[in-house]
């Protein structure tokens, strides 16, 4: 009996140690820090809508994390190789991405938009992009939309959001197609008076989620935390901070 009791105690201790170690693991989060107002750097700190939401999720789920900044197009491949534990950067939940990564519940609904020079009066809708020089981001959902809807557009892809804005300002691109919130934020801040975003988004509303490697146990934890944050009002507070209005 003493041997059995001793063996049971050892097994329990090992199990406790394993569980504690799992809880103490630091989660590696991939994000593109060139994505205002969702993810960017200000005063040497990671800030934005996504970053505030991530901080609350981590607090609620009880895990620590570190940020691994990378180009947007590198996020999904990094998840596929398990180089990161999750990715948050206004990632559209497309059918193609769902085949290679898992997603959390929807935490935001976005859309694609078109940005042009303030002096451009020829591009008024997405259809007007046909035959035009357009800039976008590698790996973004906007590239798929462009191929399907305006195949004659001359599309140049860049690894970072700032690159496509510079292309537009230099006159080498006639328009930028990307996530509507990013373009609207840029038009109101750095691009104020220089550019304008077409009022009507192109395409349908697109769900946004946090992405994980296939089969990740973090999905359930994050979803549970996200639900609590939405239920107790913390989500709405963060949303109003960055978008100036209540969430829809």
């Amino acid at each position: 009996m003493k041997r059995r009791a001793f063996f049971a105690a050892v097994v329990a201790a090992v199990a406790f140690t394993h569980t504690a170690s799992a809880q103490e693991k630091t989660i590696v989060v991939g994000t593109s820090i060139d994505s205002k107002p969702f993810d960017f750097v200000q005063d040497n700190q990671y800030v934005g809508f996504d970053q505030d939401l991530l901080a609350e999720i981590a607090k609620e789920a009880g895990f620590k994390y570190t940020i691994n900044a990378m180009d947007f197009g590198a996020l999904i491949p990094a998840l596929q190789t398990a180089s990161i534990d999750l990715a948050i950067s206004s990632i559209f939940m497309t059918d193609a991405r769902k085949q290679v990564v898992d997603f959390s519940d929807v935490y935001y609904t976005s859309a694609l938009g078109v940005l042009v020079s303030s002096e451009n009066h020829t591009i008024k809708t997405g259809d007007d992009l046909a035959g035009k020089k357009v800039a976008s981001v590698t790996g973004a959902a906007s590239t798929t939309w462009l191929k399907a809807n305006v195949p004659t557009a001359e599309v140049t892809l860049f690894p970072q959001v700032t690159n496509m804005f510079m292309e537009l300002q230099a006159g080498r691109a006639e328009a930028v197609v990307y996530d509507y919130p990013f373009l609207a934020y840029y038009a109101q801040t750095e691009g104020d008076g220089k550019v304008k975003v077409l009022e009507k988004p192109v395409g349908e509303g697109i769900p946004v989620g946090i992405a994980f490697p296939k089969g990740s146990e973090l999905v359930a934890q994050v979803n549970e935390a996200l639900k609590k944050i939405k239920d107790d009002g913390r989500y709405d507070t963060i949303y109003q901070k960055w978008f100036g209005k209540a969430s829809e």
Side-chain angles (χ1 to χ4, degrees), residues 120-144:
N120 188 311
H121 303 292
T122 60
I123 299 176
K124 299 178 180 179
T125 69
D127 292 337
D128 295 330
L129 295 172
K132 300 294 193 302
K133 294 181 179 179
V134 179
S136 194
V137 174
T138 303
S142 50
T143 62
T144 302

Side-chain angles (χ1 to χ4, degrees), residues 14-149:
V14 171
F16 175 80
T17 301
H18 176 74
T19 302
S21 298
Q23 291 175 341
E24 292 169 3
K25 176 187 174 184
T26 298
I27 303 302
V28 180
V29 177
T31 191
S32 169
I33 57 172
D34 191 32
S35 306
K36 296 180 181 179
F38 288 86
D39 308 275
F40 60 105
V41 174
Q42 187 174 71
D43 299 326
N44 296 318
Q45 298 290 325
Y46 294 109
V47 297
F49 174 73
D50 282 345
Q51 297 303 311
D52 284 354
L53 185 63
L54 174 63
E56 289 300 322
I57 289 174
K59 186 188 303 180
E60 189 66 44
F63 63 74
K64 297 179 180 179
Y65 65 93
T66 182
I67 297 292
N68 186 352
M70 58 182 66
D71 292 338
F72 184 85
L75 292 174
I76 299 300
L79 289 169
Q80 290 178 276
T81 58
S83 300
I84 56 177
D85 297 303
L86 67 85
I88 184 169
S89 200
S90 186
I91 303 173
F92 288 1
M93 299 168 64
T94 64
D95 290 338
R97 288 174 180 161
K98 289 178 181 178
Q99 292 179 12
V100 295
V101 299
D102 286 340
F103 278 100
S104 69
D105 293 334
V106 177
Y107 74 86
Y108 184 85
T109 300
S110 189
L112 296 176
V114 180
L115 186 77
V116 298
S117 166
S118 296
E119 300 176 355
N120 188 311
H121 303 292
T122 60
I123 299 176
K124 299 178 180 179
T125 69
D127 292 337
D128 295 330
L129 295 172
K132 300 294 193 302
K133 294 181 179 179
V134 179
S136 194
V137 174
T138 303
S142 50
T143 62
T144 302
W145 183 88
L146 285 165
K147 288 180 181 179
N149 294 274

Side-chain angles (χ1 to χ4, degrees), residues 38 49 53 106-110 226-227 229-248:
F38 288 86
F49 174 73
L53 185 63
V106 177
Y107 74 86
Y108 184 85
T109 300
S110 189
L226 186 59
K227 184 179 185 305
I229 292 166
K230 286 185 174 182
D231 288 345
D232 65 21
R234 278 178 286 171
Y235 178 90
D236 286 336
T237 299
I238 296 170
Y239 191 99
Q240 286 183 295
K241 172 184 175 180
W242 291 103
F243 301 110
K245 60 180 181 178
S247 60
E248 298 177 354

